Amino acid sequence: MAGEDPLRRRLRELPGSAWVIFSGMFLIKFGNFLNVFLVLFLVSRGFSAFQAGAALGAVGVGAFIGNAVGGAVADRFGRRTAIAVSMFGSSAATALVPLTDGLFTTTALVGVVGVFAQLYRPAAGALLVDVVPEQQRVTAFAVLRLAINVGMAVGPLVGGLLSGASYTYVFLGDALFSFAFGVLALCTLPGGRPPAQAPAENGAVGGAEAGAVGGRRRGGYRAVLADRPYLLFLGSMVAATFVYGQSTATLPLHVTDAGHDNEVYGLLLGLNALLCVAIELPLIRHTERRTPRRVIAAGLALLGLGMALTGAVQAAWLLALTVVVWTVAETIYTPIANAYPAEFSPAHLRGRYQGAEGIAHTLGGALGPAVGGLLYGISAPLHWIVCAAVAGLGALLVLGATPGTRPTQKQQHTQENPPRTEPSRTA
C-alpha cells in the first residue's frame, strides 16, 4: 500500500508543480506580516485597539470573499492564473497600506488585501489534486502544512526586526514575498484551463458528478451546495476551526488567569509548532490507510478532549501536556481533512470545492474568537465544555460525510450513449 512506502521515496515522487506550491506557501506564510503587525501599526498611528481590531476584521471578511471568488477563478481560468492574480494583487495592495491616511481608507484597503491574499488558496489546493496521484495526496497536503508551519514560525521573527526599523518595511516585505510567489507561479506552474471532467478511475466524489451523468452538469457553487455529504464535511470543518482557534483566542486568557506570564503562552505555542513539524509527516503513514472520515472524527474527538483538559488544569507542565493532546489531534485530522475534498469534487469543480472548504475555515476562524471570547467572559469552565461539545458535533457530522461513487469513463459512455439494438427480423 502507498502508506507503507518509505517517506523519503514518496517525497521524491511528488511532482515538480507540487513543490512549487510548497515553496510558494512557505514564502507567503513567512512574509505574512500584515496580519501579524496590522494592529500594532494602527495603534502606533493613534487609533484605538477597537478600531485596529475592526480593521483586522476587514481582512477576515476579505478572506471570506477571496475564497469564494478564488474557487470560481481557478475553475474558469485555470490554477496558475488564479494564483498569479492573487499574488500580484495582494502585493500591490499591501505595498499601499503604509501610504494611506485615515481609518476608513486603511480598513477598506486591508479588506482588499484580504480578498487578493486568499484568492490563491482554492487554486493551490485544486492544483495539488490535479497533479498529485490519489495515493500520494495526503502526503502532499502534509508537506504543504509543513511549509506553512515553518514559514509562520520563522517569519514573525523577521517581521519583528523590520518593525523595529519601520512599519513601512514590514508591509513592503510582505508585498515582496507575495510578488515572488506570483513570479514563481507564472514561470513554473502549468497553464491552461483545468480538465473538463475527472479521469477514468473508480474514485469517490459527491453529488455534483453523479448528477452529471446522463444529464446536464450543474455548475458553480450550486453544485457544491447540492452535495449534502460535502456540506456535512464543511460543517465539521467549521467546528474544527472554531475549537482550534481557541489556541490563540482564549488560551492566552486562561494562561494569564492561571498566574503565568506571556512567555509561558509563547512556549506552549512553540511546543505546538515543534510537534507539528516533528510528527505530522511520519504519522500519516498510519492514518492515511484508514477510512478518512473516521480518522477525521477521531482527531476531532481528541481535539475536544484536549481543549476540555486545558480548561481543567493550571500548572504549566499540565498545560503543556494538554497542548500535546490537541496537537496530536491536529496532526491526525488535518492532513486527511485537507485532502478529503478531492474525494467529493469532480475535476471541473475542484476549485469551487476547495473554495468552499476555505470559506468553512474562514467562518470557523471568525466565530471562534468572537463566540469563544464571549463565553469565556461569562464562564470559563462553560467555555471549555462548549469547545468539547462543538468538537464532538464536528466528529458526528464528518461521520456522515460519505462521498458518492464516480463512474468510470466506460460507464459514463454507456449511460450517455446506450447501445442501439437492432429490431428483430422475421422471415
Side-chain angles (χ1 to χ4, degrees), residues 246-256 265 268-269 310 319 323 326 383-384:
Q246 304 311 312
S247 62
T248 55
T250 54
L251 177 60
L253 301 177
H254 179 68
V255 171
T256 301
Y265 174 63
L268 293 177
L269 289 189
T310 297
L319 286 171
V323 170
W326 54 258
H383 161 71
W384 297 110

Side-chain angles (χ1 to χ4, degrees), residues 224-295:
V224 181
L225 295 176
D227 192 342
R228 292 184 180 180
Y230 191 63
L231 294 182
L232 293 177
F233 169 72
L234 294 181
S236 72
M237 291 300 97
V238 173
T241 309
F242 177 97
V243 177
Y244 186 78
Q246 304 311 312
S247 62
T248 55
T250 54
L251 177 60
L253 301 177
H254 179 68
V255 171
T256 301
D257 291 344
H260 306 295
D261 55 25
N262 290 341
E263 291 183 2
V264 172
Y265 174 63
L267 290 173
L268 293 177
L269 289 189
L271 175 62
N272 167 250
L274 180 62
L275 285 174
C276 285
V277 172
I279 69 176
E280 188 162 304
L281 274 174
L283 188 61
I284 62 170
R285 298 182 62 233
H286 306 285
T287 58
E288 70 177 348
R289 290 181 282 178
R290 291 165 172 79
T291 305
R293 66 182 187 279
R294 293 179 180 174
V295 174

